[in-house]
């Protein structure tokens, strides 16, 4: 039995990381740190803070990840970092070749417009990924775990990582944002992706009307379909605009509605191959009990 996990305190690790963002961005600019290095260090720092907080102040004791789960998330996460970088480099090269030049807007306006534009692209791709069909077979890997932790943010099919990168980055490139704005938006995105998945107690309170928080994203992963809105991770604004914003009590369980239709969350090989197979083949296989399907 896990402890009472009704949010009663502030989610201080999330708020602290958000508070550090301007300092981190300023340090990167002052010391001309390559963006890839800056983002890698920021990712590692965020993971370290949130993993420690998960041990010290867990939202749910029964959501602690074991070494096998962390190795799985780390392996897939490492692949996705490479995919993210490769897709970003290729897309940037193509867009710069066709759309040279940069925005003349002020930096704060670039960052605001960029965060909104990136989240709009990600929102619609994410929402479409929850419809039955090929995109869902790609996305389901991320939703299979029956717990949410900081490392779960890294668990996604590489195809998912690729199209999400395009959805977020292409609008920024079309807007012609400056490199400084790109770095600020990316630092913010890393913190939000990890913190909204982290198994850390507390709430960001009224800020959930402006920023994505763990209490919102847990509802997105709920096995209760009525609760499972909140397709935005970084910001809730597009959920509010398009009617998918959800607030309320914590979800009783997280995961997927029909787990027996899919490989187990630990079956990486079948999960990686799932987008290339007909969905019906997994249902048939489950009925015949010939594949590692179901909750394990």
């Amino acid at each position: 039995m896990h402890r009472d996990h009704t949010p009663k305190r502030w989610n201080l690790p999330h708020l602290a990381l958000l508070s550090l963002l301007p300092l981190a961005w300023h340090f990167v600019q002052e010391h001309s740190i390559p963006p890839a290095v800056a983002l890698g260090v920021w990712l590692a720092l965020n993971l370290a803070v949130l993993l420690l907080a998960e041990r010290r102040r867990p939202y749910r004791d029964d959501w602690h990840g074991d070494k096998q789960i962390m190795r799985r998330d780390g392996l897939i996460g490492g692949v996705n970092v490479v995919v993210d970088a490769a897709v970003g480099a290729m897309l940037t090269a193509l867009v710069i070749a066709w759309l040279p030049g940069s925005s003349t807007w002020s930096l704060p306006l670039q960052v605001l417009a960029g965060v909104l534009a990136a989240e709009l692209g990600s929102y619609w791709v994410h929402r479409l990924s929850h419809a039955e069909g090929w995109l869902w077979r790609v996305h389901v890997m991320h939703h299979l775990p029956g717990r949410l932790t900081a490392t779960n943010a890294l668990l996604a099919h590489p195809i998912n990582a690729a199209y999400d990168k395009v959805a977020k980055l292409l609008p920024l490139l079309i807007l012609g944002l400056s490199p400084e704005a790109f770095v600020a938006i990316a630092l913010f995105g890393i913190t939000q992706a990890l913190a909204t998945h982290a198994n850390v107690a507390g709430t960001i309170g009224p800020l959930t009307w402006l920023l994505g928080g763990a209490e919102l994203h847990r509802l997105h992963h709920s096995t209760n379909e009525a609760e499972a809105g909140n397709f935005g991770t970084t910001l809730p604004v597009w959920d509010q605009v398009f009617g998918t914003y959800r607030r309320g009590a914590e979800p009783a369980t997280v995961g997927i509605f029909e787990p027996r239709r899919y490989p187990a969350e630990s079956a990486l090989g079948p999960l990686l191959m799932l987008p290339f197979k007909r969905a019906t083949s997994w249902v048939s296989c489950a009925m015949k009990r010939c594949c590692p399907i179901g909750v394990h």
Side-chain angles (χ1 to χ4, degrees):
M1 179 71 70
H2 57 75
R3 70 176 61 171
D4 174 15
H5 45 267
T6 303
K8 296 177 180 177
R9 299 176 292 180
W10 290 100
N11 188 331
L12 295 179
H14 188 180
L15 295 171
L17 289 168
L18 289 173
S19 299
L20 282 174
L21 270 169
L23 294 177
W25 178 85
H26 181 73
F27 185 86
V28 169
Q29 303 309 312
E30 279 290 305
H31 297 275
S32 301
I33 298 173
V37 175
L39 297 179
V41 172
W42 186 244
L43 174 65
L45 175 63
N46 277 247
L47 275 173
V49 169
L50 293 170
L51 288 174
L52 177 61
E54 286 182 341
R55 291 293 173 185
R56 299 288 297 273
R57 293 183 53 186
Y59 167 72
R60 289 180 58 154
D61 290 325
D62 58 340
W63 279 6
H64 283 307
D66 57 30
K67 290 182 179 179
Q68 181 181 5
I69 288 172
M70 294 186 69
R71 282 196 298 268
R72 176 201 66 191
D73 294 349
L75 174 63
I76 295 296
V79 171
N80 286 337
V81 166
V82 174
V83 169
D84 182 277
V87 171
M90 289 188 291
L91 189 60
T92 301
L94 288 172
V95 172
I96 288 176
W98 294 335
L99 298 171
S102 60
S103 174
T104 57
W105 302 343
S106 67
L107 184 59
L109 185 57
Q110 287 188 59
V111 172
L112 177 60
V115 169
L116 289 171
E119 189 67 8
L120 178 61
S122 181
Y123 170 88
W124 277 111
V125 166
H126 191 184
R127 186 169 173 178
L128 290 171
S129 295
H130 279 257
E132 281 289 341
W134 184 78
L135 284 177
W136 171 244
R137 299 206 304 275
V138 173
H139 187 56
V140 70
M141 176 187 284
H142 181 66
H143 278 269
L144 277 172
R147 70 190 81 190
L148 283 179
T149 67
T151 61
N152 280 166
L154 307 175
L155 180 66
H157 198 288
I159 296 174
N160 196 158
Y163 68 61
D164 191 54
K165 180 69 172 183
V166 172
K168 291 178 178 177
L169 184 60
L170 186 58
L172 309 189
L173 292 168
I174 292 173
L175 289 172
L177 302 188
S178 66
E180 294 81 6
F182 270 91
V183 172
I185 294 165
L187 291 173
F188 178 56
I190 287 172
T191 294
Q192 287 298 95
L194 296 175
T196 54
H197 288 84
N199 180 28
V200 178
T203 176
I204 60 172
L207 287 176
T208 54
W209 291 105
L210 298 175
L211 301 175
E215 57 266 47
L216 296 183
H217 201 66
R218 290 179 192 125
L219 288 169
H220 172 69
H221 281 258
S222 173
T223 55
N224 179 349
E225 194 167 1
E227 294 176 338
N230 298 338
F231 296 99
T233 302
T234 303
L235 302 174
V237 60
W238 300 119
D239 286 292
Q240 293 161 351
V241 169
F242 295 113
T244 53
Y245 184 64
R246 302 287 185 269
R247 287 185 60 144
E250 64 194 47
T253 57
V254 299
I256 60 174
F257 307 145
E258 300 176 276
R260 289 189 62 82
R261 292 182 59 191
Y262 304 98
E265 64 170 282
S266 58
L268 289 185
L271 284 170
L272 290 171
M273 292 304 298
L274 186 57
F276 308 105
K277 296 181 178 291
R278 292 174 61 86
T280 53
S281 69
W282 287 109
V283 178
S284 174
C285 200
M287 291 177 176
K288 295 176 182 177
R289 300 182 181 276
C290 63
C291 290
I293 299 179
V295 179
H296 289 254

